[in-house]
Amino acid sequence: MGQHNLSRMMKPQSVAVVGASEKGGTIGNALMKNLLDGGFAGTVMPVNPKYEKIHGCRVYRSVSELDLGVDLAIIATPIETVPEIVGECVNRKVGGAIVISAGGKEVGEKGNDIEYKIERVALPSEFRIIGPNCLGVIQPSGKLNATFVPHMPPSGNLAFVSQSGGICSSILDLASKEQIGFSHFVSIGSMLDVDFGDMIDYLGNDPSVESILLYIENITNIWKFMSAARSVSRVKPIIVLKAGRSEAGARAAASHTGALVGEDAVYDAAFKRAGIVRVETIEELFDCAELMAKQPRPRGSRLAIITNGGGPGVIAADHLARHGQEPAPLLAETVANLDTILPSCWSRNNPIDILGDASVDRFRQVLDVCLDARFFDGVLLILAPQAVTEPMPVAKVLVDMMKGHHYPIFACWMGGRSTDLAVEFLNEAGIPTFDTPERAVQAFLYMVAFAGNQELLFEVPPKLAHHLVMDQKRAGEILAGNTKEGFLPESEVRGLLESYGMPVVKTEVATTEEQASQLSQSIGYPVVLKLFSPDITHKTDAGGVHLDLRSDLEVREAYQQIIQSAERFKQGAKIEGVAIQPFLTKPDFEILLGAKQDRDFGPVILFGMGGIFTEVLKDRALGLPPMNRLLARRMMQETKAYTLLGGYRNRPFADIEQLEEIILRFSQLLVDYPQIAELDMNPILIKDGKPIIVDSRLLVAPNTIPSPMHLVISPYPGEHEYRMVTKSGMDIFVRPIKPEDGPLYVDLIERLSPTSLYYRFFRVLKKLPPAILSRFTQIDYDRDIALVAIAEKEEAERMLGVARIIGDPDGLEGEFAVLIGDAWQGKGIGETLLRKCLLIAEKRGFKHIHGVVLRENINMIALGKKMGFVMKRGEYPGEYELQINLGSLQLVEGLAE
């Protein structure tokens, strides 16, 4: 119901303005004028006891006089009055309110108390609040300007959501100049209630929205944000400008919004995981807005650059190169066609330099060749003012020729006054314009990044060659004995890592020189001696590491030196002896794998170059658990170390699959134990391709949040796994679907009869597109429920069927679907899977489940009736809708296993 009321607010039929006024220069007057002058077709109801009429509208003395069920209230009164007004709105069943009033938590404790009162009044109901301290909402297609800014941008397909009212007004002004249209323009202020997660969910489900832009200073509900973004970014680009990269910027953002921001590198990792494209500046955000609003998205990175000046073309190519790209190579056929048009001295390469004496006809002919080539993913036309080149005629050529092409065509008209009219003409015609080649190329690259993100989101993670086994009992016992904050003894850290199947170097601890001598002989020379102290983190700095010891004498001398050096390094430190390990001569690589609890995002995994150069080189990549093989490899690929791991000069390849497995095991350890505050495995040596953990350190801290609630991305819910025998005597394994199940799901689809496919998808489906496959297998375990039946006793695993419930953002309603292979229909598998799905949904708090069934699908209709569903006529002929309310005693009894 929360999303329902948000929808009422965004597309209202009736609006009450609390604090309306006719007095010039007041927010109440501006709100009324903007609503009425903007052409809003719904009912406008000013609320102010001081007036009889405002702008010709009947005035209500208080909210209590309003009719029941007003969609939206706009509150522009002193913030001290807002709690009472919100209470009246709740009583009159208003859908929600935009609270313009400032003075909330951004001013300190007093404002925070007022926001708490507002929240306490609204919380028991389904009443939604945008703000406080916001500019308001503009919805151009509905002619709704619920802000105090007079500009109404054109209607378009781009949604913009900002935490800052100042950024909103600036973007509106720029959009007016560049003729950029919007579907929604939302200032959400300090996010007392409606936040970025709510808006992404809403906009993601609105068909009028094709792209979403966000200006973010902080995120209040990170779990909701990640869940919404991961879902919506699969179908619509989300572009983010996140402020607070620097420490000073973070402080400014915190004081502005009344909330703290997390470490910026973690936000980068989270945005990547969610499929979000991050821009660096307001300029880039606006450039992306213009390109997305006016042109289709590119399918790849093949850019054609046409220029009448060599220098601008070189600048464009250089900017591509700085981001790992190059202009698209010209096909031989394209070069041959251009040879017939251009002077013999033309570049014969991309950028296509058509020379400074290029005429309008030359521009036209070259554009015609490039557009007809059907090889490029975008065309950038750069015009530099020249004596023989008129900007306006070339602009008209571009507008005339762009029609009917389904990739971005955009322009860089360099210069100033001489190109102004042409730039205005291009903007009005829907062609994005940029004043420098770098800006044009960068906007294109951000769109390419989104296309790349989608490819990665649709990629099916590979399975490991074997099932991962962890000794959780042993790990739990180790951590249960360390309940206070502090570092675990190194021996227990090694035991913890070993219990999760990670390769740890053999280590012995010696507390005396004699013991060190005996253990070194037992291990076999050469050996390594390392300081064993819980109080000294960096052993090398304390002179606590001696390598390649090849005799008893060297071991004894090293022992004495380590102890003495440590005592000098940190007086009073607890020194327990030395750790002794075999010395691995000339390892191929040293890497680092670690993790740290972030206050906002929970555990964050770090991978990078290891050893003593870790902090100098800062070659690292971050990731969020839970991980799979694909995510693990992508994280490694972000580092320079990955290039070395792939084999460099005469060094052997590292076993990448084993590294992926270590990351997966490490990820599961972090999922299972929230009390792991920091864990550092540095170095992990790679010798002859095989990794082994040489040194590790673990900090535990009490954590009251149980697993997996400490994560912002829900892990695989293994608690729903079980084995059973169907009524027909089949042994099956029922479990939640996994991202790695892509091949099994495709095999199930390919084995279905045309009738079964039609019953499930309501159309003939010859092949499952990657986007649909990923949507069905890579689900959000927080929102959706999908259980599969697996036959394990055959030569290879086989998926027999799947049942799913796709939840709405509020988690109250869901839509079910069941798909069973033809050979296994009628054996009780569908009933078993759906029964279990409904039980899980009921436990999670779902209230209502529905599903659409074709009239011919008599088996599904019969199953629905048997399980207590009510059947109603569907929206379209030949369809029925099966519905069931959860939470009733009858349902629980009917689903009891």
Side-chain angles (χ1 to χ4, degrees), residues 715-733:
Y716 173 79
E719 66 272 16
H720 298 318
E721 293 182 349
Y722 70 100
R723 286 174 170 78
M724 64 165 295
V725 180
T726 65
K727 295 175 182 178
S728 61
M730 285 188 66
D731 292 314
I732 61 172
F733 179 35

Side-chain angles (χ1 to χ4, degrees), residues 491-693:
S491 58
E492 295 190 9
V493 178
R494 288 192 294 272
L496 184 68
L497 300 178
E498 287 173 344
S499 69
Y500 267 65
M502 288 181 258
V504 179
V505 71
K506 181 181 178 181
T507 305
E508 301 286 357
V509 176
T511 58
T512 66
E513 179 184 323
E514 188 61 35
Q515 194 177 13
S517 171
Q518 293 173 1
L519 289 172
S520 297
Q521 292 177 45
S522 175
I523 291 172
Y525 300 115
V527 296
V528 178
L529 263 61
K530 297 179 182 179
L531 173 65
F532 192 64
S533 169
D535 297 332
I536 299 177
T537 302
H538 299 292
K539 303 178 183 68
T540 304
D541 295 348
V545 179
H546 285 240
L547 307 174
D548 198 14
L549 305 176
R550 296 178 173 271
S551 69
D552 182 62
L553 178 61
E554 290 182 358
V555 168
R556 290 179 181 274
E557 289 177 348
Y559 181 90
Q560 294 174 7
Q561 291 172 15
I562 287 172
I563 301 300
Q564 293 168 6
S565 180
E567 289 172 344
R568 289 193 302 269
F569 181 80
K570 187 173 183 180
Q571 292 184 359
K574 185 178 180 181
I575 300 170
E576 298 178 346
V578 298
I580 307 171
Q581 299 170 342
F583 177 65
L584 302 178
T585 56
K586 296 182 180 179
D588 302 315
F589 312 105
E590 294 185 17
I591 60 170
L592 158 71
L593 184 62
K596 182 179 181 180
Q597 281 280 352
D598 181 83
R599 65 187 172 195
D600 295 324
F601 290 92
V604 180
I605 297 174
L606 182 145
F607 174 89
M609 189 78 76
I612 61 173
F613 299 112
T614 298
E615 295 180 17
V616 176
L617 298 177
K618 294 183 178 178
D619 178 34
R620 65 175 189 176
L622 303 182
L624 300 178
M627 303 285 276
N628 56 42
R629 279 189 65 190
L630 187 60
L631 293 171
R633 183 164 297 201
R634 284 184 202 158
M635 183 174 69
M636 291 191 288
Q637 287 172 339
E638 290 180 30
T639 66
K640 296 180 179 65
Y642 186 79
T643 304
L644 300 176
L645 297 175
Y648 185 72
R649 293 189 175 178
N650 62 341
R651 297 196 177 192
F653 291 84
D655 188 334
I656 297 297
E657 184 170 340
Q658 189 174 2
L659 285 173
E660 291 168 359
E661 181 178 328
I662 290 173
I663 293 173
L664 263 59
R665 291 179 180 277
F666 184 40
S667 169
Q668 190 61 49
L669 179 66
L670 299 171
V671 168
D672 292 341
Y673 299 104
Q675 61 266 50
I676 297 176
E678 292 183 27
L679 206 170
D680 185 42
M681 294 177 279
N682 183 26
I684 299 176
L685 298 184
I686 299 179
K687 176 78 171 173
D688 299 327
K690 298 298 181 183
I692 187 164
I693 301 165

Side-chain angles (χ1 to χ4, degrees), residues 239-431:
I239 311 295
V240 166
L241 172 59
K242 166 68 175 67
R245 272 194 181 275
S246 66
E247 187 176 339
R251 285 197 303 269
S255 60
H256 180 51
T257 63
L260 296 174
V261 295
E263 185 184 347
D264 193 69
V266 183
Y267 274 96
D268 266 340
F271 290 154
K272 287 175 186 175
R273 181 69 178 269
I276 291 172
V277 176
R278 183 176 187 177
V279 299
E280 302 290 332
T281 65
I282 292 176
E283 182 181 79
E284 291 177 353
L285 183 71
F286 183 78
D287 289 345
C288 283
E290 183 170 9
L291 189 54
M292 287 193 302
K294 294 179 178 179
Q295 292 286 289
R297 297 193 292 270
R299 295 181 180 177
S301 61
R302 298 172 302 181
L303 179 64
I305 303 169
I306 303 171
T307 176
N308 70 333
V314 172
I315 290 171
D318 283 349
H319 198 78
L320 282 170
R322 277 195 292 273
H323 293 81
Q325 301 284 350
E326 291 183 354
L330 299 181
L331 300 177
E333 180 184 357
T334 304
V335 173
N337 290 334
L338 290 172
D339 278 339
T340 65
I341 299 167
L342 296 172
S344 58
C345 58
W346 79 280
S347 62
R348 298 180 62 81
N349 211 333
N350 188 13
I352 303 168
D353 185 357
I354 64 176
L355 306 180
D357 63 349
S359 64
V360 173
D361 281 342
R362 191 183 295 172
F363 271 101
R364 183 193 302 275
Q365 291 171 321
V366 172
L367 263 172
D368 191 43
V369 169
C370 290
L371 295 177
D372 283 349
R374 301 186 182 278
F375 172 72
F376 303 110
D377 298 308
V379 174
L380 168 61
L381 185 62
I382 303 175
L383 181 141
Q386 306 275 6
V388 297
T389 305
E390 291 291 332
M392 182 60 85
V394 178
K396 289 180 178 179
V397 165
L398 181 57
V399 170
D400 182 58
M401 298 189 67
M402 66 167 282
K403 297 168 185 175
H405 293 283
H406 301 292
Y407 52 80
I409 301 169
F410 50 111
C412 172
W413 255 230
M414 301 181 70
R417 194 173 300 170
S418 64
T419 62
D420 284 348
L421 290 176
V423 168
E424 185 178 347
F425 175 77
L426 290 169
N427 285 329
E428 290 175 352
I431 294 182

Side-chain angles (χ1 to χ4, degrees), residues 832-867:
T832 296
L833 294 176
L834 182 56
R835 186 189 303 278
K836 185 69 173 177
C837 283
L838 290 170
L839 282 168
I840 295 170
E842 186 173 55
K843 187 175 180 180
R844 287 192 189 174
F846 281 71
K847 301 300 181 186
H848 181 78
I849 304 296
H850 64 94
V852 178
V853 181
L854 292 174
R855 181 173 54 195
E856 306 96 303
N857 193 352
I858 56 176
N859 290 337
M860 188 65 240
I861 292 172
L863 176 59
K865 289 180 177 179
K866 177 182 177 181
M867 299 183 70

